[in-house]
Amino acid sequence: MASTLRTYRRLVASRIAAVSLIVAALVSVLAWFVSIENLEEEAVGLAVEESRRAVLQMNAGDAARPLVAPAEEAARLLTGGFFDIAEIYDERGERLAEHATTRGEAVEAQLQRHARPQHTRPGYESLHLPDGRWVLRVFVPVWRDAQQPGSGLLGYVEGVRVVPDWQRDQLRSDALGAAALAALAAILCGLVITPIVMHLSRDNERKAQQVLASHVAMMEALGRAIAKRDSDTGAHNYRVAWIAARLGETLGLRDDAMRALIIGSFLHDVGKIGIPDRILLKPGRLDDDEMRVMRTHVALGEEIVADIPWLAAAAQVVACHHEKWDGSGYPRRLAGEAIPLAARIFAVADVFDALCSRRPYKEPMPLPQVLDILQRDAGSHFDPQVVHTFVPMAADLHARLDGLDEAACRALLHERITHHFGFA
């Protein structure tokens, strides 16, 4: 069990590490793109301011005829500063002037032409050209009052900047730094929360085991109460539940199915707690009326386990442990595979233990005789496949149980409970 818990904790830690690395990768990529975009927008902001300043300076002497005579000078001014290509348009979108540097001329043919500008606010394109160069293409509407868009359009500026290698390297370096910082923060966060999560996990495991232990104790208390009332020591419940568990394992039952089999086998006769003593403890044979009352223990048992959520899994065995493969059992006269597998497994385990055990009214039968009875009744009382699986196991199970008292039988069952219920 300790090994299982260590494995579980390693799994939790590895999942936190994996999530941290995935988050770090995603955050770093996002930080990279956000940083690049922010730096581009900063560059565009500078371009917008320079465009406005140049155009307003060229327009200062003639407010009535904006961007006509001084357009060429404005274009040259812009390409002498931030831009490699500058185009000046009037307020109708007619191009007035264009100027380009040597670098601008080299990339102009690779730029897609566009319709007349109609922008109402600045915008830009970030372009990676086929020859590997990175270009920022800026579109700026210029208003008479730069602080009040819509205050009177002077014209438009389109500027193209071929980003130099040093600036591109600087942008990428800054973006890489931001991405690395974001990734480091995600990894550190994972390292910080791992011990917290592990502590909470251990605390939850401890509380879950306490709850499970109390459930098992309740199951045992009910089983012992029924056994005492039925003039039994209680060892039968431990033995039959252990036999059923071993048979269920061989038949491939796991997880919830196995837990339901163990609980149901241990509490199969829980309904007998509601049978009157005059019938339950009668030493002789029951008459027909008494037998009808005795058979109601199945329905009573169903009601008891159904009202306790943790025991509800036992209902299949409790409700069907007196059904028979040929349909002659009770209370529902189910037949064949309509009988739940857990109940079919229990039926073999119950009869095997009853025949092999010493009771006040009988001696234990020899093992060969018990196996003859089981095989004879396969196909009538018992599921033939279950009997076929059980017979090769029977000698080992019988030898293991031979001579054990109630405490030893309880220890055997608890070993299976520990294995299948997942607590120490």
Side-chain angles (χ1 to χ4, degrees):
M1 184 60 196
S3 174
T4 301
L5 291 178
R6 284 194 298 271
T7 301
Y8 171 73
R9 290 175 186 139
R10 282 197 298 269
L11 179 62
V12 170
S14 64
R15 285 181 176 175
I16 293 174
V19 169
S20 298
L21 291 175
I22 292 171
V23 170
L26 294 176
V27 168
S28 62
V29 171
L30 179 61
W32 167 272
F33 284 111
V34 170
S35 298
I36 290 291
E37 185 175 354
N38 287 341
L39 292 168
E40 288 175 354
E41 289 180 352
E42 288 179 12
V44 171
L46 292 174
V48 169
E49 290 304 316
E50 186 162 341
S51 300
R52 285 174 176 157
R53 184 167 52 251
V55 172
L56 290 173
Q57 286 176 354
M58 293 301 101
N59 186 61
D62 189 357
R65 299 174 64 247
L67 301 178
V68 178
E72 290 289 344
E73 187 176 352
R76 282 194 299 272
L77 179 63
L78 288 171
T79 52
F82 189 82
F83 294 118
D84 291 289
I85 301 174
E87 294 180 353
I88 309 297
Y89 297 84
D90 66 15
E91 69 275 13
R92 297 185 302 276
E94 296 287 347
R95 187 166 63 185
L96 301 175
E98 178 181 3
H99 196 268
T101 64
T102 304
R103 284 190 304 181
E105 292 173 350
V107 302
E108 188 170 14
Q110 301 180 59
L111 299 176
Q112 185 177 359
R113 305 306 296 177
H114 58 78
R116 292 182 179 183
Q118 296 180 340
H119 310 291
T120 59
R121 54 177 48 185
Y124 77 96
E125 295 176 341
S126 178
L127 306 173
H128 292 273
L129 302 181
D131 62 6
R133 279 179 282 197
W134 180 22
V135 168
L136 289 177
R137 191 178 195 179
V138 181
F139 306 93
V140 184
V142 182
W143 307 95
R144 292 187 184 278
D145 186 347
Q147 304 301 320
Q148 293 184 0
S151 61
L153 185 64
L154 295 177
Y156 303 92
V157 173
E158 176 186 337
V160 174
R161 176 174 176 79
V162 180
V163 181
D165 291 342
W166 69 265
Q167 189 176 23
R168 179 171 56 185
D169 293 342
Q170 182 64 45
L171 290 173
R172 289 177 175 172
S173 177
D174 292 346
L176 183 60
L181 186 62
L184 179 61
I187 292 172
L188 289 177
C189 182
L191 292 175
V192 169
I193 68 171
T194 296
I196 298 173
V197 171
M198 297 303 293
H199 172 74
L200 293 175
S201 175
R202 284 190 292 268
D203 190 50
N204 286 338
E205 289 169 7
R206 178 180 58 80
K207 291 177 180 177
Q209 289 188 9
Q210 289 175 346
V211 171
L212 187 56
S214 68
H215 287 165
V216 172
M218 177 179 65
M219 177 188 79
E220 290 190 75
L222 271 174
R224 285 195 299 269
I226 299 158
K228 296 299 182 184
R229 191 159 181 270
D230 200 16
S231 299
D232 196 353
T233 64
H236 168 69
N237 288 337
Y238 290 113
R239 287 195 305 268
V240 77
W242 181 77
I243 295 169
R246 295 297 303 276
L247 179 52
E249 290 167 353
T250 305
L251 288 168
L253 268 64
R254 296 291 183 271
D255 303 326
D256 288 345
M258 178 58 71
R259 290 188 281 270
L261 174 62
I262 292 173
I263 298 171
S265 297
F266 194 82
L267 297 178
H268 63 281
D269 275 340
V270 67
K272 285 185 177 180
I273 203 167
I275 302 299
D277 286 348
R278 62 181 178 80
I279 296 175
L280 185 65
L281 303 180
K282 183 177 178 178
R285 184 181 181 86
L286 300 180
D287 60 32
D288 289 345
D289 290 337
E290 291 169 335
M291 182 57 69
R292 277 193 292 272
V293 174
M294 176 62 80
R295 287 182 173 183
T296 64
H297 82 276
V298 174
L300 291 172
E302 283 188 84
E303 292 177 11
I304 290 171
V305 297
D307 290 337
I308 304 173
W310 189 75
L311 299 181
Q316 289 186 341
V317 175
V318 172
C320 301
H321 69 282
H322 282 296
E323 302 289 354
K324 295 184 178 180
W325 182 257
D326 63 4
S328 64
Y330 69 89
R332 296 177 177 84
R333 301 184 69 83
L334 300 177
E337 293 186 359
I339 305 170
L341 177 58
R344 286 180 266 149
I345 291 171
F346 172 78
V348 173
D350 187 36
V351 172
F352 175 78
D353 183 69
L355 296 177
C356 290
S357 301
R358 177 176 284 101
R359 297 292 174 85
Y361 52 86
K362 77 171 191 67
E363 291 296 314
M365 282 187 182
L367 180 61
Q369 186 177 351
V370 172
L371 296 181
D372 285 344
I373 292 173
L374 292 178
Q375 291 173 309
R376 181 195 67 200
D377 290 345
S380 56
H381 188 163
F382 308 114
D383 178 345
Q385 183 58 48
V386 174
V387 173
H388 178 74
T389 302
F390 179 74
V391 168
M393 305 169 54
D396 288 341
L397 300 181
H398 184 268
R400 187 78 181 273
L401 292 170
D402 188 36
L404 297 185
D405 60 12
E406 182 174 343
C409 292
R410 180 177 184 271
L412 277 181
L413 179 61
H414 266 251
E415 189 270 334
R416 292 294 87 200
I417 289 175
T418 297
H419 179 76
H420 291 293
F421 285 70
F423 78 103

